[in-house]
């Protein structure tokens, strides 16, 4: 059933706030507003499971309503609603969609945290809390930009839509529901989502990574069966032994190297950074099937993050089988977290694993549960990608803009599968040595939040403003 809830009905799910989220907005600068919103959002526990994302959606609704921005809450589960808001433009161009998910991963062991995971404490230049990076910083920045446009009453060449979707972390049911039941409300020319980043290279240049593609999570199950037996008599058909051997054959194998236009350009351009000039002699070797695997292995020794862009990766995550220490079980399973390249099909991966295992008594199959859709890379010729390049060349002419395929997945792939190009925003500075994504003491630099919000503002005005360029809007 389609819930469209408003007003007092939502008070049941309202989070405790220090103050009215819409109060005194006119007195705040753009970046102060983003920080104010992020503090409030981190204080809302939307850990998934169970989610309770309506708490976040309700907060967003209060802010939007206080600033006279039309908005709706949509979804099937009244505790897990999605939020959308829309600023109308002239209609000259199709809409721009700003998206960010409202749930977070669980905190885990709270005793391992040095701060309250939902305290939004600011210290030593960082804002701490679960969701501060993933993905409430982006949500706060997008909300701040929307309110800033409305407050200034700026003309737009296209509608700007903000969507906060539920359940990105544990099934992507939020975006799937929106596509199935409310797609006209979010249909857009292109979308800006999480997945991008920027980092410093030796203090000389920054690299702004715009996510245009992502590896596809594929759950693969290895299953071996046999007969129950006493552990006192070792048997060659022990399912635990068979499935363990099968797992090692897959994990230890060198997966084939397959470049895409995105990874070719990324690797070519990143060599312009002094920290990555060692890649230059390896690039032609990656193109030669006879030397590609050896070259990828060399890259892995220097940068595992780069190597996973070159081929499908395999990580065992769950081993099941056996109930007693002295009984050989009649079945055993290993679950593999496979991140396959977008230019590989599930069937190709399964066939290769069966060939590597070479044991007909071990079944290789897709595990039950949601499987992400395969999608093409978002084009580098769209208005949004060009706007990102234009803004960054204006603000940081010495730095690089790189199309990037991420090893982690987002719910943006569902939009890409509907033909909407999605780009991971390279807004926030997260150095590799300080990456606490999904980690204990998750945090974001306050200055990084401010700089990223300003960058988002410039990008939105460049692609959706009615002026020649956004520099005139300062």
């Amino acid at each position: 059933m389609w819930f469209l809830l408003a007003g007092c009905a939502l008070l049941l799910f309202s989070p405790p706030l220090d103050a009215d989220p819409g109060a005194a907005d006119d007195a705040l600068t753009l970046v102060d507003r983003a920080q104010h919103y992020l503090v409030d959002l981190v204080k809302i526990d939307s850990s998934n499971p169970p989610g309770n994302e309506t708490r976040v959606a309700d907060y967003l609704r209060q802010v939007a309503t206080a600033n006279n921005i039309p908005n709706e809450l949509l979804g099937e589960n009244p505790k897990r609603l999605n939020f959308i808001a829309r600023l109308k433009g002239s209609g000259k161009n199709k809409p721009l969609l700003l998206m960010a998910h409202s749930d977070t991963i669980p905190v885990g062991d709270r005793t391992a945290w040095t701060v309250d995971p939902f305290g939004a404490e600011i210290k030593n230049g960082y804002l701490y809390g679960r969701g501060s990076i993933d993905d409430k910083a982006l949500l706060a920045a997008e909300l701040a930009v929307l309110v800033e446009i409305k407050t200034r009453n700026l003309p737009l060449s296209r509608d700007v839509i903000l969507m906060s979707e539920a359940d990105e972390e544990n099934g992507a049911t939020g975006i799937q529901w929106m596509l199935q039941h409310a797609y006209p409300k979010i249909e857009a020319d292109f979308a800006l989502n999480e997945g991008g980043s920027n980092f410093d290279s030796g203090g000389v240049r920054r690299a702004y990574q715009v996510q245009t593609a992502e590896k596809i999570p594929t759950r693969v199950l290895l299953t071996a069966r046999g007969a129950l037996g006493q552990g006192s008599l070792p048997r060659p058909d022990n399912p635990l032994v068979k499935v363990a051997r099968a797992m090692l054959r897959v994990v230890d194998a060198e997966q084939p190297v397959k470049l895409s236009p995105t990874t070719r350009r990324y690797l070519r351009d990143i060599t312009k950074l002094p920290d990555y000039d060692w890649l230059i002699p390896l690039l032609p070797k990656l193109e030669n099937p006879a030397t590609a695997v050896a070259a990828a292995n060399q890259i892995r020794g220097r940068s595992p993050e780069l190597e996973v862009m070159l081929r499908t990766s395999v990580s065992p995550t769950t081993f099941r089988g056996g109930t007693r220490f002295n009984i050989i079980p009649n079945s055993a399973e290993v679950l593999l977290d496979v991140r396959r390249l977008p230019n590989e099909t599930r069937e190709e991966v399964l066939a290769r694993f069966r060939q590597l295992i070479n044991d007909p008594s071990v079944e290789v199959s897709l595990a039950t549960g949601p499987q992400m859709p395969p999608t093409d890379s978002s084009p580098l010729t769209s208005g949004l990608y060009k706007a990102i390049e234009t803004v960054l060349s204006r603000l940081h002419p010495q730095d690089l803009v790189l199309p990037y395929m991420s090893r982690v997945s987002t719910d943006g792939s569902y939009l890409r599968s509907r033909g909407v190009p999605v780009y991971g925003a390279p807004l926030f500075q997260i150095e590799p040595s300080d990456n606490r994504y999904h980690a204990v003491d998750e945090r974001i630099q306050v200055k990084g939040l401010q700089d990223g919000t300003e960058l988002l503002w410039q990008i939105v005005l460049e692609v959706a403003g009615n002026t020649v360029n956004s520099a005139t809007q300062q």
Side-chain angles (χ1 to χ4, degrees), residues 21-59:
D25 262 359
D26 291 345
L28 297 177
T29 65
L30 170 70
V31 296
D32 288 341
R33 185 179 287 122
Q35 182 175 325
H36 172 74
Y37 295 156
L38 181 55
V39 167
D40 284 350
L41 288 168
V42 168
K43 290 180 178 180
I44 301 171
D45 182 356
S46 54
S47 304
N48 183 11
N52 290 322
E53 293 93 337
T54 296
R55 297 171 179 171
V56 174
D58 187 19
Y59 174 85

Side-chain angles (χ1 to χ4, degrees), residues 296-315:
N297 291 345
Q298 284 185 261
I299 291 172
R300 182 172 58 204
R302 295 286 298 267
S303 175
E305 285 282 348
L306 286 181
E307 187 264 344
V308 295
M309 298 174 62
L310 306 176
R311 49 190 172 188
T312 291
S313 63
V314 184
S315 294

Side-chain angles (χ1 to χ4, degrees), residues 144-158:
V145 165
L146 212 67
V147 171
E148 187 78 7
I149 293 172
K150 181 65 176 180
T151 300
R152 296 195 190 191
N153 197 28
L154 296 180
L156 298 170
S157 64
R158 62 175 88 230

Side-chain angles (χ1 to χ4, degrees), residues 234-247:
R235 288 166 33 187
D237 66 341
N238 185 324
L240 289 167
V241 174
K242 289 196 296 184
V243 81
R245 285 174 177 157
M247 174 190 71

Side-chain angles (χ1 to χ4, degrees), residues 246-264:
M247 174 190 71
L248 290 175
R249 285 172 186 154
V250 172
V251 171
D252 291 343
E254 298 291 1
Q255 301 297 323
V257 173
K258 292 189 177 183
L259 299 181
S260 69
T262 297
T263 51
R264 278 191 178 91

